[in-house]
Amino acid sequence: METLVRTPQLVFMQPQRLVVPLFQRPYVWNEDNQWEPLWLDVTRLASKALKSPAEKIHPHFLGAVVLQQVNKNTGQLQERTIIDGQQRLTTMQLLLDALHCELVALNAMQPAMRIEPLVRNAEAFCSSPEDTFKVWPTNRDRPAFNAVMRASHPIDYDSVGYRGEKMVEAHRFFSSQAREWLMSEGENALSTRASALETVIRDRLQIVVIDLAAEENAQEIFETLNARGAPLSSADLIKNFIFQRLLESGADVEKAYEQYWKEFETGFWEKDISVGRLFHPRAAIFLNHWLISRTGKEILAKEVFYQFKRFVDEQSGSNRMMDLLQKIHASAQIYRSFVDGALKLTGDVSRLELFSYRTGVLESEIVKPLLLYLLDPDETPIGEVQFVKALDVVESWMVRRMLVRATTKAYNQVFSDLISQLKKGDRANAGDVIERYFREQKTDSSYWPDDEELTREIEQLLAYRRLRRARLRMVLEAVEDFRRGWKGSDVALSKERVARGQLAIEHVMPRRWQANWPLSVGDSEEARDARIHTLGNLTLLTGRLNSKVSNGPWLGAEGKRDALNDHDVLVLNRDILKSAEIGWDDRSIKDRTETLANIVVQVWPVPKGHRSSFATKKHVVHKSVDLSDLIAAGLLKPGAVVFPRRKKFSDRVAILLPDGQLEVDGVAFRSPREAASAIAGKPTNGWWFFLTNKESKSSLRDVRQEYIASLALDTDDDDDDDDGDDDDDLSVSTTN
């Protein structure tokens, strides 16, 4: 056995075939979990190389692969079996080939020629057509892989066929991303950017290659490598590093531990927190954020320990380790204060606590390094006016981008760059510096949506469908506060904000409107089905209405109007009752949507005269999530059994196949809906229908929502829950 650290150049350069055994699972990596993070890592390194050519670029680690040599006759093409790592090796081939295609299309021939030997074996070494490829996937994926890898330049992906296949979609993704990145600075910068990107992919990525001889026991080694362990977090590694240094300096390490580190080993700091789809102890996340706040550099979670050591070495002239430990401890107290502040859901709340709550609802951990910088106890305090302005600006930027569903994929880079700008600028006027920074942003990943775009988007947004419930609730809470008199720095006469995170979202005109809410002349059912989910038809209640009243008519003893009046503790509902004494119809919804859009613009303002030039170019891409995505994320395992929700179908279980299909009675179905409909004998929402655990009543929908929440996706999830009114349901579904 030989273990070596290799670059893609060294892994793929020599003539060879890396073959995926037939028994391995199909290719399941996807955009959100693997392709996009890999691409962001690659472009981050390429951008560093362009920005600081003389600075050493530290390689990015891709993981490990296990290969086993195959005995071949003399003169035959060398071959290895991929024991472990087929997903990353296949992805690298798709990425390299897509980049090669784009380089050729853009006439960047020299970098293209340096890439080509990494994806094609020279004809002299090929005795069969498949010998052309460096990697040869399992049977299931070969047709799609062969089609996209052999496609002529420029590739017309619709003509390639195999629409929806992961192989083709991966190639399409990397191709579009490469083209966008290469041309982002115009044709004059193409040559330089092409060379930087190609060099990073060939020589600045690293793979640990474990190369087995033909006679070695591959299964034994595979099981050992994949044995479950308890890896050390970055907080554990940093702790060991700090206290080892303190020990070497003769410090009282026990006293230092008790005073400055012991708290990090309590439940608050050891709790696992989600960052994207991964979980890390809060202490490790804090240390990551602390480093970003101190350096103004983008630091990934996996780089924290290395970057911390580097920071210590660079600061050794001015900071002793004990001083550094004290600074970390002081910042940790500040960090905990605004984390706890976000949980304060009732009563008086400071601007920082409200900011922490709202950005927490947006699930944006990356804003915390900025707070650590603004509240740094080692720096001159920022005045109240400028501090509040800084929070107002950042919150406006984040909420507006959420409402127009702009991308969040580069937020790490945006906030590290913002901190870097603050370090160079006027700390005393931090609010002005931040406002100027966001006003000047012109790219899709960082621009600040203006009033015109925000209003337009809100008026057409199916808010109940497209926004997660917590985010939608937060927006309605802010509107309620505004109507109570909380406007900018003005304090409402009542001095009381609405309770946060606790109220129920209610449709004024119900989702099941057909029985009691006749259509207006000339209107259509399709138009109304969409309109009822817009912001103007939504409100907050202290408790859910029962389904009979919720779906009842507007007027009458059991009408919706009287029900809202009974729950009238909010100004939002008084406004509705005042404007709709006689009836609530489609025009009422449209008018109220416009009114609420105008309030939102005032709650989260932009500077006077601000115009975002990027808005006219933006388009929102909705994503569909299927079972193969959940497999790729590790949330479901191939071979798992899912159970019908209804007892009368309890014997019709489905088995999850490696490619994301569901098998029922020996028949494979491409989606949960198809499988559920086949069992129920009528169109049925399969995400709701199938349970992953009969005891907890967890459904495929629950797993899907966990995945969506972890990645902050904007999905095309338009399915209502089934009514759940069968007497023999295994569980009771809830309605809004």
Side-chain angles (χ1 to χ4, degrees):
M1 180 174 67
E2 185 178 35
T3 302
L4 296 168
V5 177
R6 298 293 197 193
T7 63
Q9 170 83 11
L10 295 174
V11 171
F12 296 121
M13 188 65 182
Q14 63 180 325
Q16 63 178 326
R17 292 181 74 226
L18 305 177
V19 180
V20 182
L22 301 181
F23 55 81
Q24 289 199 16
R25 66 175 178 168
Y27 183 73
V28 296
W29 276 18
N30 67 10
E31 177 180 342
D32 300 300
N33 290 287
Q34 289 91 15
W35 307 338
E36 185 174 64
L38 171 60
W39 181 253
L40 290 176
D41 287 336
V42 167
T43 53
R44 179 174 55 86
L45 292 181
S47 296
K48 282 185 178 180
L50 289 170
K51 187 176 181 180
S52 305
E55 183 180 337
K56 181 180 179 182
I57 303 297
H58 297 279
H60 174 70
F61 179 59
L62 291 177
V65 301
V66 181
L67 308 176
Q68 185 163 40
Q69 298 173 24
V70 176
N71 290 326
K72 305 289 286 187
N73 294 329
T74 302
Q76 289 185 310
L77 186 66
Q78 188 179 79
E79 185 174 308
R80 282 174 169 77
T81 300
I82 302 175
I83 304 301
D84 193 24
Q86 64 125 328
Q87 303 285 333
R88 60 176 48 87
L89 288 173
T90 305
T91 301
M92 282 305 301
Q93 281 295 291
L94 294 165
L95 167 56
L96 287 163
D97 190 65
L99 176 59
H100 175 259
C101 291
E102 291 304 322
L103 291 171
V104 171
L106 296 171
N107 201 34
M109 298 310 298
Q110 284 193 315
M113 288 189 289
R114 291 192 289 269
I115 290 290
E116 187 172 19
L118 307 187
V119 292
R120 296 283 190 278
N121 289 315
E123 188 175 346
F125 294 94
C126 301
S127 57
S128 62
E130 59 266 26
D131 286 347
T132 300
F133 301 114
K134 302 283 183 173
V135 170
W136 191 233
T138 191
N139 282 20
R140 162 68 175 76
D141 293 318
R142 285 175 188 172
F145 181 82
N146 186 63
V148 75
M149 294 288 283
R150 289 190 187 277
S152 302
H153 308 164
I155 298 179
D156 179 353
Y157 289 95
D158 292 330
S159 298
V160 167
Y162 302 97
R163 185 175 180 82
E165 289 286 337
K166 298 292 187 184
M167 295 281 189
V168 176
E169 294 309 311
H171 202 286
R172 185 201 300 263
F173 170 80
F174 289 124
S175 178
S176 65
Q177 294 298 310
R179 185 185 318 116
E180 180 181 337
W181 192 88
L182 289 167
M183 296 302 297
S184 61
E185 300 293 335
E187 291 188 9
N188 291 337
L190 171 60
S191 178
T192 304
R193 295 179 73 81
S195 293
L197 185 60
E198 165 261 324
T199 299
V200 161
I201 292 177
R202 282 193 305 108
D203 288 330
R204 295 293 183 267
L205 306 179
Q206 289 187 340
I207 304 171
V208 171
V209 179
I210 301 173
D211 202 8
L212 309 180
E215 65 276 5
E216 291 186 88
N217 189 328
Q219 181 60 31
E220 181 178 322
I221 293 170
F222 175 79
E223 290 174 359
T224 301
L225 289 171
N226 287 277
R228 293 188 179 272
L232 295 175
S233 71
S234 56
D236 297 323
L237 296 171
I238 288 173
K239 171 192 172 184
N240 293 340
F241 175 75
I242 288 174
F243 284 94
Q244 183 63 38
R245 288 285 183 94
L246 288 174
L247 189 63
E248 292 170 358
S249 69
D252 186 340
V253 293
E254 290 198 15
K255 182 179 178 181
Y257 170 79
E258 289 291 329
Q259 286 186 321
Y260 303 120
W261 193 272
K262 185 177 180 180
E263 184 183 352
F264 284 121
E265 297 175 359
T266 60
F268 175 85
W269 292 103
E270 291 190 339
K271 180 180 178 180
D272 282 341
I273 303 298
S274 171
V275 180
R277 69 181 183 89
L278 301 177
F279 285 83
H280 303 276
R282 182 180 272 129
I285 295 172
F286 158 71
L287 289 166
N288 188 356
H289 292 167
W290 183 82
L291 273 176
I292 296 171
S293 74
R294 292 285 171 143
T295 64
K297 296 180 180 179
E298 182 183 2
I299 298 173
L300 303 181
K302 56 193 169 188
E303 299 175 342
V304 172
F305 177 56
Y306 164 76
Q307 292 290 352
F308 182 84
K309 289 199 300 179
R310 184 178 179 185
F311 176 78
V312 169
D313 291 339
E314 291 175 351
Q315 299 292 317
S316 59
S318 57
N319 287 318
R320 294 183 298 110
M321 186 59 75
M322 185 64 75
D323 294 333
L324 193 62
L325 181 56
Q326 291 171 356
K327 293 177 189 298
I328 292 172
H329 179 263
S331 292
Q333 305 313 303
I334 293 170
Y335 192 89
R336 179 161 190 170
S337 72
F338 57 70
V339 170
D340 286 340
L343 304 177
K344 190 176 178 181
L345 303 180
T346 58
D348 189 30
V349 62
S350 70
R351 183 65 186 94
L352 176 59
E353 289 169 335
L354 184 62
F355 175 87
S356 298
Y357 163 73
R358 286 175 174 172
T359 55
V361 169
L362 297 178
E363 300 169 22
S364 186
E365 285 286 315
I366 196 55
V367 75
K368 289 175 180 171
L370 176 64
L371 292 180
L372 285 175
Y373 170 79
L374 296 175
L375 297 167
D376 191 339
D378 291 332
E379 298 283 352
T380 304
I382 299 170
E384 179 71 11
V385 172
Q386 284 292 313
F387 180 72
V388 170
K389 181 174 183 178
L391 301 186
D392 289 345
V393 169
V394 173
E395 190 178 300
S396 170
W397 181 81
M398 294 180 69
V399 173
R400 282 177 174 244
R401 289 180 61 84
M402 179 272 290
L403 288 171
V404 304
R405 290 157 298 145
T407 179
T408 63
K409 66 182 180 182
Y411 277 16
N412 284 21
Q413 182 180 344
V414 169
F415 278 97
S416 59
D417 186 47
L418 175 56
I419 292 169
S420 179
Q421 294 299 315
L422 284 165
K423 286 179 173 292
K424 298 174 185 176
D426 181 5
R427 178 177 172 83
N429 294 304
D432 294 337
V433 173
I434 293 173
E435 181 182 79
R436 184 167 58 252
Y437 175 86
F438 283 124
R439 286 192 72 172
E440 294 172 352
Q441 298 303 304
K442 302 298 181 185
T443 67
D444 65 331
S445 60
S446 60
Y447 83 100
W448 195 358
D450 59 27
D451 290 348
E452 181 182 349
E453 180 190 6
L454 182 61
T455 301
R456 182 178 64 249
E457 290 291 329
I458 290 176
E459 289 177 357
Q460 64 187 19
L461 175 66
L462 305 187
Y464 192 80
R465 289 296 193 204
R466 298 302 180 205
L467 302 182
R468 258 176 278 156
R469 301 296 182 265
R471 297 180 180 184
L472 176 56
R473 182 183 296 110
M474 182 267 287
V475 171
L476 291 170
E477 290 166 354
V479 172
E480 172 68 17
D481 280 345
F482 182 90
R483 291 290 295 116
R484 291 185 181 192
W486 294 91
K487 301 176 182 179
S489 58
D490 295 340
V491 177
L493 293 177
S494 67
K495 295 187 178 180
E496 184 177 353
R497 290 184 181 271
V498 68
R500 292 168 293 283
Q502 301 177 46
L503 301 181
I505 300 170
E506 176 74 16
H507 288 75
V508 182
M509 182 183 292
R511 288 187 286 175
R512 296 176 177 85
W513 53 266
Q514 288 82 356
N516 298 301
W517 302 72
L519 284 170
S520 304
V521 176
D523 206 353
S524 67
E525 290 193 8
E526 182 179 5
R528 172 168 285 184
D529 284 339
R531 191 175 297 116
I532 59 174
H533 296 303
T534 57
L535 194 62
N537 192 50
L538 303 173
T539 192
L540 296 174
L541 294 177
T542 54
R544 293 185 183 277
L545 303 178
N546 68 58
S547 59
K548 183 177 180 181
V549 173
S550 180
N551 295 319
W554 179 246
L555 300 175
E558 293 186 341
K560 198 70 172 279
R561 177 181 169 80
D562 286 351
L564 288 176
N565 193 49
D566 291 341
H567 288 72
D568 185 17
V569 297
L570 303 181
V571 181
L572 275 174
N573 294 329
R574 277 183 284 179
D575 289 343
I576 293 172
L577 295 171
K578 185 184 297 184
S579 65
E581 291 185 3
I582 299 176
W584 183 261
D585 56 19
D586 299 88
R587 184 67 199 183
S588 305
I589 296 173
K590 183 177 184 300
D591 290 345
R592 184 167 179 265
T593 301
E594 293 173 357
T595 299
L596 296 189
N598 182 57
I599 292 176
V600 169
V601 162
Q602 296 176 70
V603 173
W604 290 290
V606 290
K608 187 176 180 180
H610 173 66
R611 294 290 182 269
S612 49
S613 60
F614 185 81
T616 56
K617 306 174 188 176
K618 182 183 69 65
H619 65 281
V620 177
V621 177
H622 303 298
K623 298 180 180 178
S624 296
V625 175
D626 59 30
L627 291 172
S628 65
D629 295 314
L630 306 185
I631 293 173
L635 297 175
L636 293 175
K637 301 292 185 184
V641 177
V642 293
F643 310 91
R645 182 181 293 269
R646 297 188 174 111
K647 288 182 180 179
K648 64 183 178 183
F649 301 127
S650 60
D651 60 329
R652 306 286 302 280
V653 300
I655 300 172
L656 181 61
L657 301 180
D659 59 358
Q661 296 190 84
L662 284 174
E663 182 179 295
V664 179
D665 299 334
V667 179
F669 297 92
R670 294 184 62 85
S671 70
R673 174 176 287 277
E674 289 183 8
S677 300
I679 292 174
K682 63 178 182 179
T684 302
N685 179 354
W687 295 99
W688 171 88
F689 182 81
F690 287 111
L691 301 177
T692 58
N693 186 301
K694 288 190 286 188
E695 285 70 33
S696 67
K697 306 299 188 291
S698 176
S699 67
L700 285 179
R701 172 178 286 243
D702 296 327
V703 179
R704 186 174 187 265
Q705 286 304 115
E706 178 186 347
Y707 174 80
I708 291 169
S710 72
L711 291 169
L713 292 180
D714 185 17
T715 66
D716 287 322
D717 183 16
D718 285 342
D719 289 333
D720 286 334
D721 289 340
D722 284 10
D723 290 340
D725 56 1
D726 284 23
D727 292 336
D728 61 346
D729 279 4
L730 295 178
S731 67
V732 179
S733 80
T734 59
T735 58
N736 182 52

